[in-house]
Amino acid sequence: MARVELENISKLFGATTAVNEVNLQTIEGEFLVLLGPSGCGKTTLLRMIAGIETPSSGDIVIDGEKVTHLPPRTRNIAMVFQSYALYPHMTVFKNIAFPLRTRGVDRTAIREKVEQAAGMFGIGSLLERKPRELSGGERQRVALARAIVREPSVFLLDEPLSNLDAILRASAREELRLFQRRLGVTTVYVTHDQVEAMGLGDRIVVMNKGRVHQVGTPPEIYQWPADTFVATFVGSPPMNLIEQGDVLAGFRPETFLPAGPATENEGFVTYPFQVTWLEYLGAERLVYGDIGEKCCARHVVSRLPGNISIPIEPGKTYPFAVAKKAIRHFDRASGRLIDTGKT
Amino acid sequence: MNSGPRATGTSIRDRADLLARIMITPAVLYIAVMIGFPFILAILYSLSDATTGDPTLHIIGLQNFRDILADPVFRTSLKNTFVFALVSQTLVIVLSRILATALMADFRGKWLVRFLVMLPWTAPISLGTIGWLWMFDSIFSPIDWILRKIGLLGAPGALLGPMQNLYWLGEPFLAMASVVTVHVWRLLPLATVIQLAGLSSIPRDLLEAAEVDGATALRKTLEITIPLTMPIISIAFLFGLIFTFTDMTVVYVLTRGGPIHMTQVLSTWTFFKGIEGGDLAQGAAVSLFMFPVLAGIAILVLRVARRTEVV
């Protein structure tokens, strides 16, 4: 169990800045997710915590000790790679035992710990197999077992679910969360999938172009995005943004619903919604269209739950309303959130 | 207008089986005419008493084999062939490993170093060996000149002796060392390129995972890099063995098997016996001794190659 502190970390690759003055502290035992589009620097940040990459400037502190320029093996961290990086010439047993052997653990203790870790992930029967004989899900479990067997103080995961098929991914997500809870190891998890981030994270760090845009719990990130990047990156479909002079007004698609008697009061704003396209997705309908006068940003989406079954056709205009307290305001020039006083 | 499937008969381009046979024919012909026929001829000659003066096939049985086995020069040649091949290839594997590791790193002028490393491979082997002949010259050897200049040779009490020259090709041990050196020089580029390919085929993730798992540089090399490149190292080694085993240019140009047959190998002995000496039958018998060894190596190469595919 440990705290990771990043102090003003920057990383340059030649002339490009991969990570730009990032400050971040983990809370002991938390599940921290680094979320961002590809190339945003999240993986570089993780690799610097692991010690595979050295920061160009700034410091990395683990458990109060400055480790910025120390090699990975001095840090007692574990990392699961996107490709799992299992040693192809070693059996599952030897793969899991590898981090123990480098630490000079004696044979009987190794056998005991490997079997315990393998049992935890239900791969006890695969110990004599080679990685190429395993399925994607089994490989992932081996990678996780190899990571936890050393009882690391920090657990780093680089998109470990991205190589699994969609069905497996959902169950793997649940397992991952349960086992992290059980071990209580501080975990840093990198992903570009916002559903994964929302579902797994105690806190989410939203990154773009090397910078941290927001750090917060999933509800904070979703309800009170710090800027327009977070607002449009998190949520599917993204937050609607419409221009109102110097301000951008934003609201989530599920808050933009057909107007009715209940919305005819001070608390709501009603717009004529010119519907251009409609998607039926089973549990919900996505309605695409424009609101207000013809200007640049007025294209919005409404997300209608299945229980609102009023007929809607493309090409027609309907009154739609959004609650005032669901609207966020952003500065048009900087993109920053203007509203204060989160509830 | 849609006319459906063409009514006219299928052309040869559609007959996959026929096409395959036509395309493999040149290879089969080549093997039969250029390899199979000479091989059978060599077996027949080795059982006959044919000479260059009278090449008629008159089978006399295994007498040639009995004769060459009784010949001490043949036994020296057989031993030398193995010594040269194994010693030079062991050196080649170790040196090419070091070179390949060095070339994996990024540094300025890397392309120039790579170019220079490849250079010996582009020179015709006979020309390269003639160049080395000068290096090992009994009087004008640049190696001796350098040794004299740095005081290791040619002065009373010098480490390598008071004489002016080492006579590289005249002393049995130095002559063997010279032959090995030229083989190493010759095959190092190929082995380096093969090893480079092997090293760059290791996913970077694996090495990084090993680092995070606590491995030191030594452990990474011993437990990750070498085991993972073992198949390709074996292939480089076996190919090198075949090249050295069957090569006669280096020995022929440098020493002609001398001094007193001390560097004779099977290929040169075949040539001296069968062509220059005119005894086709015994020459054929000598050359056939290479066959079981080469066949064994070939089988190993194929096996290793197949194992590499699986990983």
Side-chain angles (χ1 to χ4, degrees):
Chain A
M1 314 319 107
R3 266 171 69 95
V4 179
E5 293 163 73
L6 306 179
E7 294 166 0
N8 259 318
I9 292 285
S10 292
K11 177 69 183 179
L12 297 134
F13 290 112
T16 47
T17 309
V19 172
N20 198 346
E21 293 180 3
V22 167
N23 285 288
L24 201 62
Q25 285 85 38
T26 64
I27 298 166
E28 276 195 23
E30 79 168 331
F31 200 111
L32 185 73
V33 177
L34 304 181
L35 173 69
S38 45
C40 73
K42 56 191 190 300
T43 297
T44 308
L45 200 61
L46 193 77
R47 290 163 61 85
M48 287 193 285
I49 301 174
I52 303 168
E53 222 68 80
T54 312
S56 307
S57 63
D59 277 316
I60 297 171
V61 179
I62 297 179
D63 263 345
E65 193 196 345
K66 204 168 110 178
V67 297
T68 319
H69 296 284
L70 297 180
R73 71 191 137 86
T74 60
R75 301 188 184 193
N76 196 28
I77 33 142
M79 182 160 168
V80 174
F81 290 74
Q82 189 172 1
S83 63
Y84 308 142
L86 300 180
Y87 309 121
H89 56 299
M90 298 184 193
T91 59
V92 169
F93 181 90
K94 284 186 173 160
N95 262 282
I96 302 175
F98 191 79
L100 298 176
R101 289 205 299 120
T102 63
R103 283 163 175 74
V105 178
D106 71 80
R107 275 169 179 276
T108 46
I110 287 182
R111 179 147 286 279
E112 192 182 309
K113 284 176 183 230
V114 168
E115 273 163 8
Q116 193 194 344
M120 197 167 164
F121 290 99
I123 49 170
S125 59
L126 305 176
L127 289 177
E128 294 314 314
R129 302 257 193 103
K130 290 277 181 73
R132 67 165 178 271
E133 300 167 289
L134 305 178
S135 70
E138 288 165 344
R139 284 178 202 191
Q140 194 223 17
R141 286 151 186 268
V142 176
L144 288 169
R146 184 177 71 182
I148 60 142
V149 76
R150 74 199 78 175
E151 291 157 29
S153 50
V154 185
F155 197 26
L156 308 174
L157 299 128
D158 185 8
E159 310 217 13
L161 305 184
S162 61
N163 287 336
L164 300 180
D165 60 57
I167 300 165
L168 213 51
R169 205 176 302 169
S171 63
R173 201 156 71 205
E174 185 192 353
E175 275 178 36
L176 202 57
R177 197 65 183 93
L178 288 176
F179 115 83
Q180 195 270 342
R181 255 304 122 76
R182 191 146 40 112
L183 292 178
V185 185
T186 309
T187 302
V188 184
Y189 183 102
V190 161
T191 183
H192 64 268
D193 181 344
Q194 42 122 353
V195 178
E196 233 170 81
M198 297 290 282
L200 284 170
D202 289 322
R203 288 194 304 156
I204 298 175
V205 179
V206 185
M207 291 184 69
N208 190 35
K209 293 181 180 162
R211 284 186 181 279
V212 170
H213 281 246
Q214 189 174 5
V215 183
T217 62
E220 279 168 6
I221 300 274
Y222 193 76
Q223 301 296 340
W224 296 93
D227 56 26
T228 52
F229 173 77
V230 180
T232 51
F233 188 75
V234 178
S236 174
M239 185 179 256
N240 294 309
L241 289 174
I242 56 171
E243 286 185 32
Q244 291 178 342
D246 286 342
V247 171
L248 291 171
F251 47 87
R252 294 282 174 196
E254 63 273 19
T255 64
F256 190 53
L257 299 169
T263 66
E264 282 164 8
N265 62 57
E266 283 292 289
F268 287 86
V269 190
T270 306
Y271 295 100
F273 185 36
Q274 302 155 31
V275 177
T276 54
W277 180 247
L278 195 79
E279 280 176 2
Y280 174 74
L281 300 177
E284 60 192 26
R285 281 184 294 172
L286 295 181
V287 188
Y288 298 81
D290 301 311
I291 57 175
E293 315 99 58
K294 283 197 162 71
C295 78
C296 351
R298 60 188 195 108
H299 191 72
V300 296
V301 186
S302 162
R303 185 173 177 177
L304 296 182
N307 58 4
I308 300 180
S309 55
I310 61 157
I312 290 174
E313 285 170 42
K316 294 194 176 166
T317 302
Y318 303 89
F320 267 54
V322 55
K324 278 180 178 164
K325 67 175 170 56
I327 301 178
R328 306 285 175 262
H329 297 89
F330 302 92
D331 181 69
R332 201 175 142 191
S334 68
R336 305 289 306 171
L337 184 73
I338 300 167
D339 306 307
T340 48
K342 300 176 189 179
T343 46
Chain B
M1 216 172 85
N2 189 353
S3 60
R6 276 218 318 257
T8 49
T10 49
S11 89
I12 193 167
R13 283 169 297 180
D14 301 320
R15 300 270 314 270
D17 51 339
L18 193 62
L19 203 59
R21 257 177 249 174
I22 291 173
M23 286 170 116
I24 206 166
T25 305
V28 172
L29 273 179
Y30 167 80
I31 291 172
V33 175
M34 307 298 282
I35 299 172
F37 175 69
F39 179 61
I40 290 166
L41 202 61
I43 294 176
L44 288 177
Y45 271 143
S46 71
L47 300 172
S48 76
D49 61 358
T51 62
T52 41
D54 174 22
T56 48
L57 276 173
H58 175 240
I59 304 297
I60 57 161
L62 296 171
Q63 187 55 44
N64 290 318
F65 291 95
R66 277 193 284 273
D67 288 348
I68 58 166
L69 279 172
D71 180 358
V73 177
F74 169 78
R75 275 178 271 159
T76 312
S77 306
L78 191 65
K79 189 197 80 193
N80 283 348
T81 307
F82 277 97
V83 169
F84 286 153
L86 291 173
V87 171
S88 63
Q89 286 323 300
T90 308
L91 284 171
V92 161
I93 292 304
V94 173
L95 294 174
S96 65
R97 177 92 210 175
I98 295 168
L99 259 181
T101 310
L103 288 175
M104 282 294 283
D106 273 317
F107 56 89
R108 269 182 122 181
K110 185 165 152 177
W111 68 270
L112 183 69
V113 177
R114 279 195 181 202
F115 171 74
L116 290 175
V117 165
M118 274 311 287
L119 217 49
W121 188 246
T122 62
I125 182 164
S126 47
L127 286 184
T129 313
I130 289 169
W132 277 100
L133 201 55
W134 174 72
M135 295 286 278
F136 296 132
D137 190 275
S138 57
I139 295 169
F140 303 109
S141 165
I143 304 172
D144 291 351
W145 183 83
I146 291 169
L147 291 175
R148 280 198 299 273
K149 282 289 166 196
I150 57 176
L152 289 177
L153 183 72
L159 187 66
L160 295 173
M163 66 286 191
Q164 290 298 304
N165 287 289
L166 283 173
Y167 306 107
W168 287 93
L169 303 175
E171 299 281 338
F173 179 77
L174 287 179
M176 294 177 87
S178 304
V179 172
V180 168
T181 304
V182 177
H183 275 310
V184 170
W185 171 84
R186 162 81 181 151
L187 285 167
L188 193 56
L190 178 70
T192 306
V193 171
I194 293 177
Q195 295 241 33
L196 259 177
L199 284 180
S200 37
S201 74
I202 299 179
R204 247 183 47 176
D205 274 5
L206 283 188
L207 298 173
E208 288 169 356
E211 263 177 65
V212 174
D213 286 347
T216 55
L218 181 68
R219 192 184 282 272
K220 261 197 304 184
T221 307
L222 292 181
E223 295 195 25
I224 311 289
T225 323
I226 290 183
L228 283 178
T229 47
M230 209 54 209
I232 213 158
I233 293 175
S234 322
I235 287 192
F237 184 76
L238 293 170
F239 263 107
L241 274 188
I242 292 180
F243 274 121
T244 335
F245 219 84
T246 56
D247 177 80
M248 75 165 273
T249 318
V250 173
V251 169
Y252 186 76
V253 172
L254 281 186
T255 65
R256 305 214 162 221
I260 32 165
H261 299 303
M262 290 313 286
T263 59
Q264 204 70 266
V265 289
L266 287 180
S267 54
T268 50
W269 191 231
T270 302
F271 181 76
F272 288 129
K273 198 94 195 168
I275 308 296
E276 298 209 324
D279 193 339
L280 278 182
Q282 285 205 9
V286 172
S287 70
L288 278 180
F289 268 86
M290 286 195 267
F291 175 71
V293 177
L294 292 175
I297 298 174
I299 289 168
L300 279 178
V301 169
L302 291 175
R303 277 196 160 180
V304 174
R306 200 174 308 145
R307 210 176 59 207
T308 335
E309 280 167 32
V310 179
V311 181

